[in-house]
Amino acid sequence: MMMLKMMNPMGSMPSVPGVGGDKEEDSGLTREELQEQEKLRQESLKQAERERRMKYKKQDDEREVIRSSIRDKYQLEKPANDEDYEDEDEDDEGFGGGAKKGEEVEEDPLEEARRLAEKKFADAKAVIAAQEKCSLQ
């Protein structure tokens, strides 16, 4: 027996609790509860991702207002590839594998309306700024 322990270095190691056991059985939760927890975790991750995207979209919209005022001030044209940049953001909507390719992720209609209103408001500000500039010349 001693020779066997010398040849097998793992033979004399004491067992460590919690290694190699099933976590599901040790937690005391049923399979349905575990699935519900996983579903809630996935939903919270999706919600955090949506909030992050909204935050950066809002910042980008604010920067675009500033850019448009600078363009108006120096009479520069808006770059043509600006719309391509927005399309790239839309491609990332499938993050996390939640929706199939054929299905669209349904967003809150109030959020869409708010976003649309902010965009129209920013465009209106730019038009008004351009009109004021023209009237002064």
Side-chain angles (χ1 to χ4, degrees):
M1 184 72 169
M2 184 61 119
M3 188 66 144
L4 181 62
K5 285 185 179 181
M6 287 173 46
M7 296 180 113
N8 186 2
M10 299 301 281
S12 64
M13 286 192 60
S15 64
V16 179
V19 175
D22 283 289
K23 293 179 184 176
E24 294 178 9
E25 293 177 10
D26 293 339
S27 65
L29 299 175
T30 64
R31 185 175 195 168
E32 290 81 21
E33 290 171 336
L34 290 171
Q35 287 175 345
E36 183 66 25
Q37 283 182 349
E38 180 64 21
K39 185 178 179 182
L40 291 173
R41 187 182 71 82
Q42 290 292 332
E43 185 60 35
S44 66
L45 288 173
K46 288 179 185 178
Q47 180 65 26
E49 180 68 16
R50 278 188 224 115
E51 290 173 0
R52 185 189 69 82
R53 285 183 183 276
M54 287 174 28
K55 173 186 169 186
Y56 288 113
K57 179 68 174 164
K58 182 179 176 184
Q59 288 177 352
D60 192 40
D61 290 341
E62 290 171 358
R63 285 192 297 269
E64 184 58 36
V65 170
I66 294 169
R67 287 185 196 119
S68 65
S69 66
I70 292 172
R71 277 190 221 106
D72 292 339
K73 181 177 178 180
Y74 295 106
Q75 299 175 351
L76 301 173
E77 292 183 17
K78 188 174 183 178
N81 65 353
D82 191 31
E83 293 176 7
D84 294 337
Y85 173 72
E86 292 177 7
D87 291 338
E88 290 175 11
D89 275 348
E90 301 297 324
D91 293 340
D92 294 337
E93 288 297 323
F95 173 74
K100 306 284 188 246
K101 287 186 178 180
E103 300 177 58
E104 290 187 22
V105 177
E106 190 173 314
E107 292 188 23
D108 186 19
L110 291 176
E111 185 61 34
E112 282 185 55
R114 183 189 63 80
R115 197 176 320 132
L116 181 63
E118 287 177 350
K119 183 179 179 186
K120 289 196 181 262
F121 183 71
D123 292 341
K125 274 186 173 179
V127 168
I128 290 171
Q131 287 176 347
E132 288 176 355
K133 182 180 176 188
C134 290
S135 65
L136 293 176
Q137 291 178 349

